[in-house]
Amino acid sequence: MNAPVFPNVSFYFCVIVYMMCSQGTIVNENLTLSSFPPLLDMASAPAQQPTLTVEQTRVVLSEVIQAFSVPENAARMEEARESACNDMGKMLQLVLPVATQIQQEVIKAYGFNNEGEGVLKFARLVKMYETQDPEIAAMSAKLKSLLLPPLSTPPIGGAIPAS
């Protein structure tokens, strides 16, 4: 039996849903952190003080965004997106792992671990500073646009057209 190509797909799924919930893309009163055990474990852990200042976070976030425009990384992301064909399941399997690796390459130099948990901790730190700093909020939105596919919103009223 072959090992799965991406054994941490459930982790990546949690990361993408967390990002989508935090930006208001997913609005569902039944969707809670308890639906996602890895995030629940992190949410129930004692709050840790940020390891970076606002200014340092701006620098790291800028470097992360720049890393996506490096030709090699841009090619990796484009290849993954083309392979995913805008299918959310495939995006989780193909695009998110590449995006996570690109971020890890940058943030490990700033003390975050070189695993998915480091990316999540950095994302939480950025989320915390978004409310305090408009520049971080703008850079965070730009990063999310690099990671998430364009999402269509349901029609107002939630009506589904008859077939």
Side-chain angles (χ1 to χ4, degrees), residues 2 48 56 68 81 95 97 105 114 123-124 128 131-132 137 150:
N2 293 339
Q48 297 178 352
Q56 291 169 324
F68 281 93
R81 279 192 186 100
V95 177
E105 292 168 7
N114 198 24
R124 285 197 327 245
M128 182 184 75
T131 59
Q132 301 171 21

Side-chain angles (χ1 to χ4, degrees), residues 73-149:
N73 292 338
R76 289 170 56 202
M77 287 293 289
E78 185 60 30
E79 181 182 335
R81 279 192 186 100
E82 286 176 6
S83 296
C85 301
N86 219 21
D87 175 281
M88 184 56 88
K90 289 183 181 179
M91 294 290 282
L92 293 171
Q93 291 178 329
L94 304 173
V95 177
L96 195 58
V98 173
T100 300
Q101 289 170 356
I102 292 169
Q103 290 181 75
Q104 286 170 339
E105 292 168 7
V106 174
I107 67 173
K108 69 181 180 184
Y110 294 92
F112 293 91
N113 74 21
N114 198 24
E115 297 180 12
E117 184 181 336
V119 173
L120 257 181
K121 285 183 179 181
F122 179 66
R124 285 197 327 245
L125 180 70
V126 169
K127 183 71 178 160
M128 182 184 75
Y129 284 142
E130 280 178 353
T131 59
Q132 301 171 21
D133 188 83
E135 189 176 344
I136 288 178
M139 287 191 287
S140 177
K142 180 173 177 128
L143 179 60
K144 287 174 187 170
S145 74
L146 294 170
L147 302 176
L148 300 173

Side-chain angles (χ1 to χ4, degrees), residues 25-80:
T25 306
I26 293 179
V27 179
N28 181 336
E29 61 276 359
N30 297 321
L31 189 62
T32 64
L33 279 176
S34 63
S35 305
F36 306 100
L39 293 178
L40 181 62
D41 293 342
M42 290 179 161
S44 63
Q48 297 178 352
Q49 294 298 320
T51 57
L52 301 176
T53 65
V54 172
E55 295 78 19
Q56 291 169 324
T57 302
R58 274 191 224 121
V59 169
V60 178
L61 198 49
S62 176
E63 288 180 21
V64 167
I65 292 169
Q66 289 174 0
F68 281 93
S69 61
V70 170
E72 176 186 314
N73 292 338
R76 289 170 56 202
M77 287 293 289
E78 185 60 30
E79 181 182 335

